[in-house]
Amino acid sequence: LSQKAHFVCVVPGDNDQQDMVPNKKSAVLVDGIVLNGPTTDAKAGEKFVEEACRLIMEEVVLKATDVNEKVCEWRPPEQLKELLDLEMRDTGESPHRLLELCQDVIRYSVKTNHPRFFNQLYAGLDYYSLVARFMTEALNPSVYTYEVSPVFLLVEEAVLKKMIEFIGWKEGDGIFNPGGSVSNMYAMNLARYKYCPDIKEKGLSGLPRLILFTSAECHYSMKKAASFLGIGTENVCFVETDGRGKMIPEELEKQVWQARKEGAAPFLVCATSGTTVLGAFDPLDEIADICERHGLWLHVDASWGGSALMSRKHRKLLHGIHRANSVAWNPHKMLMAGIQCCALLVKDKSGLLKKCYSAKASYLFQQDKFYDVSYDTGDKSIQCSRRPDAFKFWMTWKALGTLGLEERVNRALALSRYLVDEIKKREGFKLLMEPEYANICFWYIPPSLREMEEGPEFWAKLNL
């Protein structure tokens, strides 16, 4: 109901028809379609859901976490296309055939919950997050207004507030996004809007050459964001790093002065807490000093390393993060909240996030609703439909408590220390450097190269 326009806009779907019992005498026909007849067999659908859930429990939850099972039954793309029935046809398939397809999908998929899955920066199974995901898939909410998603908006608010506390801010703002790359893009755009608010309405014309600075070891999403936002990848300055992969503050300040000398307009520094390859943490305090001297927005990409904030033992890795203007943090990584679960946190509490992204859609964000419309947070997002990603992290946090999440971080880093010690003991393994975080970088030296002197020929062969 739009209270200002005083009319009702209804978008019908299959749910309008499933309750209706078909009656030949009172059938409502439009364009040859019986509107008051069921479109699906509800009983068959319910049975299919029940049997599919049993299959998921047996083949994913129980089997996929068994160390004796395979991580993946690998097949090359062309072979896998033949094994899977990928064709969509004019007529539907039977429930029995659909369950067979489900079985095939599970069989040939990578089991990221498996104890031997080490491929990316996430792994393992959190049962509480999984249940939360089942619930949200069944409820199918969209988190933009309180009236359509009351519980999940309150959950998101509570989770963001708690994450803001761990960063060390007294207050702030934030929103969950579909991935750390998107959070970094949000932050870049927000920093630009803060620097030149007119850009939202007037666009790029007439702006000076905007330039930003980030580590040479940063995530590739920085280049993507600069390209997507029209800043241009040539205006991303990659600052030199030291031998451990940390941004060198002196090099950053040199580049800032050089950019000003060339007539460019520096507006943003993106530091990294937990680089993708080396697991390096940039020196945030020193970088923050430079940002304050030059009036630059400081964004910290803590997508990977942010979870260390939960540990009293390891949070020192992010010393100085409270001085950042914005932070990206992905609980779906070390905290195992399930993909995807990614927050952008902003120190500003003046509504900057909403000012930057709002479009004030009158059919959705009416200001005269029957509740406090400040809970309609959807206008802070570039999305309209948005998943309740905070809910799975909330469920995990409720189940384990802050101490349980801290133990999860401490255990991960203790396992890393154990692996380092084992690598040092074993012939044929060469540690690249002592790790700062959970990233263990090493070489495996095959027997044929172990007696060979390290030089160009050795490294060429080892690379091969």
Side-chain angles (χ1 to χ4, degrees), residues 43-63:
K43 291 295 180 187
E46 289 165 7
K47 186 180 179 185
F48 175 73
V49 170
E50 191 177 330
E51 290 178 353
C53 284
R54 191 179 301 116
L55 178 69
I56 292 166
M57 190 67 196
E58 291 171 0
E59 297 296 323
V60 179
V61 178
L62 299 178
K63 264 194 189 177

Side-chain angles (χ1 to χ4, degrees), residues 12-289:
D14 283 356
N15 57 309
D16 300 305
Q17 302 159 6
Q18 294 201 13
D19 296 341
M20 300 181 184
V21 179
N23 186 328
K24 290 182 181 178
K25 292 181 181 178
S26 59
V28 178
L29 278 165
V30 176
D31 293 336
I33 297 170
V34 181
L35 298 186
N36 56 340
T39 60
T40 57
D41 184 340
K43 291 295 180 187
E46 289 165 7
K47 186 180 179 185
F48 175 73
V49 170
E50 191 177 330
E51 290 178 353
C53 284
R54 191 179 301 116
L55 178 69
I56 292 166
M57 190 67 196
E58 291 171 0
E59 297 296 323
V60 179
V61 178
L62 299 178
K63 264 194 189 177
T65 56
D66 184 348
V67 74
N68 297 308
E69 296 287 334
K70 290 183 178 180
V71 178
C72 178
E73 212 166 297
W74 178 260
R75 295 289 186 277
E78 294 307 317
Q79 187 182 342
L80 188 55
K81 284 179 187 177
E82 291 182 14
L83 288 169
L84 298 172
D85 180 9
L86 298 173
E87 183 68 28
M88 279 79 68
R89 301 177 178 85
D90 290 341
T91 56
E93 318 253 353
S94 69
H96 175 72
R97 176 62 187 138
L98 292 175
L99 288 170
E100 288 180 338
L101 292 171
C102 291
Q103 184 89 50
D104 287 342
V105 168
I106 295 168
R107 179 181 177 184
Y108 295 113
S109 291
V110 178
K111 314 303 186 296
T112 64
N113 304 327
H114 195 284
R116 297 289 179 267
F117 174 76
F118 298 115
N119 189 251
Q120 306 295 350
L121 301 183
Y122 70 98
L125 175 62
D126 180 84
Y127 299 100
Y128 310 103
S129 165
L130 182 63
V131 168
R133 283 181 276 170
F134 285 160
M135 288 173 65
T136 54
E137 289 300 322
L139 288 166
N140 197 33
S142 184
V143 187
Y144 37 61
T145 62
Y146 181 83
E147 66 197 272
V148 79
S149 193
V151 174
F152 297 118
L153 272 168
L154 294 180
V155 164
E156 182 174 66
E157 179 188 57
V159 172
L160 289 169
K161 184 179 178 184
K162 201 72 176 173
M163 292 175 81
I164 283 166
E165 284 178 21
F166 274 88
I167 289 172
W169 298 335
K170 290 181 180 177
E171 57 180 4
D173 200 356
I175 197 160
F176 274 78
N177 296 311
S181 295
V182 175
S183 291
N184 288 335
M185 185 189 75
Y186 265 71
M188 194 177 291
N189 193 45
L190 196 61
R192 183 175 65 175
Y193 175 77
K194 175 74 172 176
Y195 183 81
C196 43
D198 287 348
I199 192 172
K200 181 175 178 179
E201 294 178 354
K202 296 182 180 178
L204 297 170
S205 59
L207 284 180
R209 179 190 165 208
L210 295 176
I211 200 159
L212 65 102
F213 308 87
T214 189
S215 155
E217 293 285 333
C218 74
H219 192 258
Y220 67 86
S221 60
M222 296 302 174
K223 283 181 76 173
K224 285 198 171 191
S227 171
F228 184 83
L229 294 170
I231 292 167
T233 56
E234 289 185 1
N235 295 316
V236 180
C237 291
F238 296 101
V239 180
E240 188 182 341
T241 58
D242 63 17
R244 296 196 57 85
K246 299 169 179 286
M247 186 193 291
I248 302 171
E250 295 78 12
E251 292 299 319
L252 168 63
E253 189 145 37
K254 278 183 195 173
Q255 289 210 26
V256 173
W257 282 118
Q258 183 61 31
R260 291 198 191 282
K261 189 178 176 182
E262 293 172 0
F267 75 103
L268 168 69
V269 174
C270 296
T272 310
S273 289
T275 59
T276 308
V277 178
L278 298 177
F281 287 74
D282 289 338
L284 300 181
D285 252 339
E286 294 168 72
I287 293 170
D289 287 342

